[in-house]
Amino acid sequence: MILALETSCDDTSVALVDMTGALLFHRSLSQIPLHAPFGGVVPELASRTHALHLPALVEECLRETGRTLSDLSACALTIGPGLSGGLLAAIAYLKGVGFGTRLPLVPVHHVRAHLRVAANSPDEILPGSLGLVVSGGHTHLYRIDLWPNLALLARTTDDAAGEAFDKGAKAMGLPYPGGPEIERLASGYTGRTERLVRAIHTPAPFDMSFSGLKTAFVALVGREGSDPEKRPFLAASCQGAIIGHLIDRLGKSLSHYRPPALFVGGGVAANGAFRRALEALCGDLGVPLRVAPRPLCGDNAVMVALMGLELFREGNFCSFPYDEIRPRPRWDED
Ligand code: KG4
Ligand code: ZN
């Protein structure tokens, strides 16, 4: 069995899988209420809270599944990219466990893990496929060489798509995280929406940019006011602009690269309107589409466990005293 931990942002998540990849346990403690008053994730608060919750979650996992540490083959953990303090919480915890158990540790790349759960098995991920990760920290388009190797093709030049949802929600006085709030308000709204920006210029043709949309949206909220009746219109305009831009740039990249498949993961991929727009785009272009199941779009330890299992089988793990295991907050990002 593989025990997996995910602590790179504001979810403390633990999962246990057997060697066939069957899920035996998964539980996440969200820190949303803790960070909500600040309108975003406070890194120091996040890392302290991970350190506090991890031991109890792992104990729950072992107790509820009737297992002990000696039943494990290895432990997998996200070591980057992410917030250093959060990454360090899982690293310090598992290095501590390793003093007693000498269990191998499998370092997992957070972005690859998001894409891994868009596929049922790694064999589905053909070389040359494209992978899009859309979350609070990432709006990155990759070419997948021989899985799990990724080459960055395009990225946002400023805010991430999830960040644009969060800032749009904040402008409307909605709580963090804004994506689910905006989706809830926009769903069912069929009236007119405001086209926020006509053309978005980026240095490279497939790159994305959301800061201009945000500025235009903040100005729209200023003009329209905070009347609750305006909220569905505002939310649908914000959501439509973000999704419209993602689909526009993705359409250009898919037409250019003609990949054998597109894999999509990350928190924003949970958005129903975005999923429908992806299906329509890929249907039109004849590109097979794989999107992560909704419950596994946001950060979770299941994706770390499945990625960890794959790496462990290939011999990609570290042994005690784990000198190679250190936080890599910007792993492959620059
Ligand atoms: O992947 P994730 O959980 O964490 C990061 O790695 O950042 O993504 C969180 C982001 C937040 O910005 C949140 O507003 C956005 O994903 N998000 C959504 C939805 N659910 C989460 N955005 C749009 N629609 C949603 N339903
Ligand atoms: Zn993530």
Side-chain angles (χ1 to χ4, degrees):
M1 274 163 279
I2 306 264
L3 176 75
L5 311 184
E6 161 59 49
T7 56
S8 66
C9 190
D10 59 346
D11 292 283
T12 316
S13 186
V14 170
L16 185 69
V17 294
D18 70 15
M19 298 314 271
T20 70
L23 185 62
L24 307 176
F25 180 92
H26 173 218
R27 191 156 300 152
S28 294
L29 291 177
S30 165
Q31 299 180 2
I32 286 173
L34 193 69
H35 299 288
F38 304 97
V41 178
V42 182
E44 179 60 22
L45 203 53
S47 64
R48 284 165 191 247
T49 311
H50 289 308
L52 199 65
H53 286 158
L54 268 181
L57 265 186
V58 171
E59 265 172 40
E60 261 173 57
C61 169
L62 297 176
R63 194 175 55 244
E64 289 183 25
T65 56
R67 317 287 168 153
T68 66
L69 289 175
S70 55
D71 292 319
L72 301 178
S73 308
C75 297
L77 72 163
T78 303
I79 63 158
L83 300 172
S84 352
L87 300 168
L88 206 50
I91 292 174
Y93 176 72
L94 285 184
K95 283 190 174 179
V97 169
F99 265 104
T101 62
R102 300 291 195 263
L103 276 167
L105 297 188
V106 189
V108 170
H109 189 291
H110 185 77
V111 171
R112 294 178 199 162
H114 268 303
L115 291 174
R116 170 63 187 81
V117 285
N120 290 319
S121 102
D123 307 333
E124 280 179 15
I125 312 179
L126 301 174
S129 296
L130 295 195
L132 175 72
V133 176
V134 270
S135 66
H138 288 85
T139 300
H140 285 26
L141 181 71
Y142 299 90
R143 189 187 65 237
I144 305 173
D145 293 329
L146 197 59
W147 175 257
N149 293 319
L150 306 177
L152 186 63
L153 292 180
R155 61 182 299 174
T156 175
T157 55
D158 38 60
D159 294 345
E163 209 176 340
F165 272 103
D166 296 337
K167 287 181 175 173
K170 195 172 183 182
M172 291 172 64
L174 300 170
Y176 172 87
E181 295 287 327
I182 297 245
E183 180 175 17
R184 184 178 54 77
L185 280 167
S187 71
Y189 176 77
T190 52
R192 103 182 158 86
T193 54
E194 185 87 0
R195 185 154 176 212
L196 293 175
V197 181
R198 299 220 165 259
I200 296 175
H201 299 286
T202 49
F206 307 136
D207 276 349
M208 292 151 273
S209 163
F210 296 93
S211 64
L213 288 181
K214 183 210 65 189
T215 306
F217 183 67
V218 170
L220 177 70
V221 175
R223 287 198 302 277
E224 295 288 333
S226 55
D227 182 351
E229 281 174 15
K230 296 268 174 69
R231 284 185 157 187
F233 157 71
L234 290 171
S237 300
C238 178
Q239 177 173 277
I242 296 168
I243 294 176
H245 181 52
L246 281 170
I247 292 292
D248 171 63
R249 293 297 154 99
L250 195 56
K252 292 189 171 111
S253 337
L254 292 176
S255 304
H256 179 81
Y257 292 105
R258 292 269 153 212
L262 170 68
F263 295 86
V264 185
V268 177
N271 184 287
F274 182 49
R275 296 172 84 91
R276 288 190 292 279
L278 281 171
E279 276 164 25
L281 176 72
C282 289
D284 284 349
L285 296 175
V287 176
L289 171 68
R290 301 274 177 279
V291 189
R294 262 195 164 124
L296 298 184
C297 283
D299 292 346
N300 65 84
V302 179
M303 67 187 199
V304 180
L306 294 177
M307 192 75 221
L309 173 60
E310 192 185 315
L311 294 170
F312 181 66
R313 283 223 181 91
E314 291 164 2
N316 289 318
F317 56 79
C318 303
S319 303
F320 186 83
Y322 318 117
D323 289 334
E324 313 90 320
I325 302 267
R326 57 194 163 77
R328 301 189 64 179
R330 299 196 57 81
W331 194 357
D332 282 350
E333 292 292 284
D334 297 314

